[in-house]
Amino acid sequence: MATISSAGVGSGINVESLVSSLMSVEKQPLTKLQSRQSSYESKISALGTLKSALSTLQTAAKALTPATGSTATASLSAYKATLADSTIATATTTSSAVAGSYSLEVTALATSQRYALGKTFAAGDAALDFGTDSSRTLTFTKGSTTTTVTLESSQNTLAAVRDAINKAEPGVSASIVTDTSGKQNLLLTATSGGTANAVTIGGTATFIDAAAPGSPIAASSAFNQTLAASDAAVKIQGVSIATSGNSITNAIDGVNLELTKTGTTTLSVTRDNTDLKSKLDTFINAYNSLNTSLKNLGAYNASTKTAAVLNGDSTLRSIQSQVRNTIGSVPASLSGATYKTLSDIGIAFQTDGSLKIDSAKFDKAASANFSATAAVIGAFGSTMKTTTTNLLASNGVIASRTDGLNSSIKSMGNQIDAFETRLTMIEKTYRAKFTALDTSMTSMTTTSSYLSQQLSLLSSMASN
């Protein structure tokens, strides 16, 4: 009997088609499991989108929150300082600035103290006398602070002394000048101007005196002061101001001045809402981005009967409810305040759930009562920071929902693995049974043909 090399060839049964059809039915539960697993993975991705949007909103809310120990007004208030003649000084403001106009008269700038070594040396020549010591010191005292520079016996040239001083940064900078004869001198300059930054020099170091080799010069007398330190001479509103160098940090509330030239000018400090409005715009944009994500991920298209990935999801509804309630409610700290809601200062919900600022209304509210405006902004910044922090916490709704979905995905993965193993065995069983049936039917067909031939032969013999 001929050997059947492919199931179904001998009998005409399409074994492959039968097995494929049956396995399609058997695989239906597996397909459903894989589909559910894929949908859970899509939900985790969508929750990641919401987490990112919440994090952006949290950052924007923090920018509106008063710093620890400060009031909302101080934290959010912004002023700018303008000088009629900007060449005389530069001005910056802090949160404690107040509006005002001031006359500024600078009759003298502060000078930085300067020293020059009283002896000159050829480049590379020894300038220090260490005697039998392996090291000596230079000390620089500014006010009550003394910085010690230690010099080893190998550091005996002017270049080595210069480098050691500059590395220690003791309140002076060191440099070398060379005259036309090639002789070098060491110059010291106070790093900041003003009498408060003047230094005195001391230490155990001694400098060589070529004219009297046996009489080295002590550091305290080796340097000559070539320019004394002096403070700036300044009047604000006609009042003489004590200065520390050319920087004035405490004469006008919240204003720092850096003097650059002598002369007379006017300093104006005015409120500047630019930074505050920029922070509000960032907050509103962050809220609107989250609002869009919530709408898109929870949407349902009635015409196509298609639901978005988080449609009907309790986590999405919880986030949406908490964030919107935070914006729509009155914070406890604003009870009895002049302005109680964001809409009072021009920030209101639109029909699509987004926020929009009415700049004209905001400017009017801020001009009428900036403290109340700042209080509203600070209060809502604080409450939104709290809301988003709770939502993003490790035990918050997003983390909990994500953990649950990951657990379900892992469980389904185990079920899928087990089901695929079972399907392999089922297909093997189907294939074995149909192959056996094909073999049996092929054998019966062969036998039938043989018998038909024999009967036909017998019939022919009988008729003869």
Side-chain angles (χ1 to χ4, degrees), residues 2 12 108 111 123-124 146 181 216 237-238 242 340 346 349 360 390 408 415 417 422 436 443 448:
T111 59
T146 297
S181 67
Q237 292 293 89
K340 296 182 178 61
F349 279 115
N390 291 338
S408 296
Q415 294 178 55
D417 290 342
R422 179 170 173 266
S443 177
S448 175

Side-chain angles (χ1 to χ4, degrees), residues 8-139:
V9 171
S11 65
I13 297 175
N14 192 336
V15 175
E16 293 298 329
S17 178
L18 286 171
V19 171
S20 178
S21 297
L22 289 169
M23 290 308 299
S24 293
V25 176
E26 296 285 354
K27 288 179 180 178
Q28 287 179 1
L30 174 63
T31 301
K32 291 180 180 179
L33 278 175
Q34 292 172 329
S35 178
R36 287 177 61 193
Q37 187 183 53
S38 178
S39 72
Y40 288 170
E41 290 171 345
S42 296
K43 288 179 185 293
I44 289 177
S45 177
L47 289 171
T49 298
L50 293 182
K51 183 177 179 180
S52 177
L54 278 169
S55 180
T56 300
L57 180 59
Q58 179 190 49
T59 300
K62 286 180 178 178
L64 299 179
T65 303
T68 302
S70 70
T71 65
T73 302
S75 179
L76 297 174
S77 180
Y79 289 83
K80 63 180 179 180
T82 306
L83 289 154
D85 185 348
S86 60
T87 66
I88 292 176
T90 58
T92 57
T93 59
T94 68
S95 60
S96 59
V98 294
S101 180
Y102 311 87
S103 63
L104 174 66
E105 180 184 0
V106 181
T107 56
L109 293 176
T111 59
S112 297
Q113 184 186 36
R114 296 173 184 265
Y115 284 103
L117 190 62
K119 300 295 179 179
T120 60
F121 300 87
D125 281 357
L128 290 177
D129 181 3
F130 282 85
T132 59
D133 296 332
S134 60
S135 66
R136 293 291 180 95
T137 62
L138 282 173
T139 60

Side-chain angles (χ1 to χ4, degrees), residues 332-420:
S333 61
L334 296 179
S335 176
T338 302
Y339 301 146
K340 296 182 178 61
T341 66
L342 288 177
S343 62
D344 289 338
I345 60 172
I347 302 171
F349 279 115
Q350 305 302 293
T351 56
D352 61 355
S354 65
L355 289 175
K356 184 178 180 180
I357 183 170
D358 182 333
S359 295
K361 185 175 181 179
F362 173 81
D363 289 338
K364 182 178 180 180
S367 297
N369 193 330
F370 185 82
S371 296
T373 302
V376 169
I377 294 170
F380 277 93
S382 295
T383 54
M384 184 57 76
K385 183 183 73 171
T386 299
T387 297
T388 51
T389 298
N390 291 338
L391 289 171
L392 293 169
S394 58
N395 60 347
V397 292
I398 291 182
S400 298
R401 179 66 168 136
T402 300
D403 290 343
L405 289 170
N406 278 322
S407 178
S408 296
I409 288 172
K410 183 178 179 181
S411 175
M412 287 182 182
N414 293 333
Q415 294 178 55
I416 288 171
D417 290 342
F419 206 93
E420 286 177 337

Side-chain angles (χ1 to χ4, degrees), residues 148-159:
T148 300
V149 179
T150 300
L151 300 164
E152 304 298 331
S153 58
S154 59
Q155 298 171 288
N156 64 347
T157 65
L158 289 187

Side-chain angles (χ1 to χ4, degrees), residues 215-391:
S215 302
I217 305 171
S220 58
S221 57
F223 289 91
N224 300 321
Q225 180 176 271
T226 59
L227 181 65
S230 66
D231 292 327
V234 183
K235 289 183 179 180
I236 297 178
Q237 292 293 89
V239 178
S240 295
I241 302 299
T243 68
S244 176
N246 291 312
S247 299
I248 301 176
T249 59
N250 56 1
I252 303 173
D253 288 339
V255 179
N256 298 323
L257 291 170
E258 191 67 32
L259 307 179
T260 54
K261 191 180 79 171
T262 59
T264 302
T265 187
T266 300
L267 169 68
S268 299
V269 182
T270 57
R271 189 181 300 283
D272 181 13
N273 292 331
T274 303
D275 183 60
L276 177 56
K277 290 183 73 173
S278 177
K279 290 178 180 179
L280 278 173
D281 285 338
T282 299
F283 176 82
I284 291 170
N285 289 337
Y287 181 89
N288 290 343
S289 179
L290 174 62
N291 179 64
T292 298
S293 294
L294 288 167
K295 287 178 60 179
N296 291 342
L297 293 173
Y300 179 78
N301 190 320
S303 60
T304 62
K305 297 183 179 179
T306 303
V309 63
L310 292 180
N311 176 261
D313 191 279
S314 60
T315 300
L316 181 143
R317 292 197 303 269
S318 177
I319 294 171
Q320 191 173 54
S321 174
Q322 290 186 55
V323 172
R324 287 185 177 177
N325 285 342
T326 298
I327 293 293
S329 301
V330 177
S333 61
L334 296 179
S335 176
T338 302
Y339 301 146
K340 296 182 178 61
T341 66
L342 288 177
S343 62
D344 289 338
I345 60 172
I347 302 171
F349 279 115
Q350 305 302 293
T351 56
D352 61 355
S354 65
L355 289 175
K356 184 178 180 180
I357 183 170
D358 182 333
S359 295
K361 185 175 181 179
F362 173 81
D363 289 338
K364 182 178 180 180
S367 297
N369 193 330
F370 185 82
S371 296
T373 302
V376 169
I377 294 170
F380 277 93
S382 295
T383 54
M384 184 57 76
K385 183 183 73 171
T386 299
T387 297
T388 51
T389 298
N390 291 338
L391 289 171

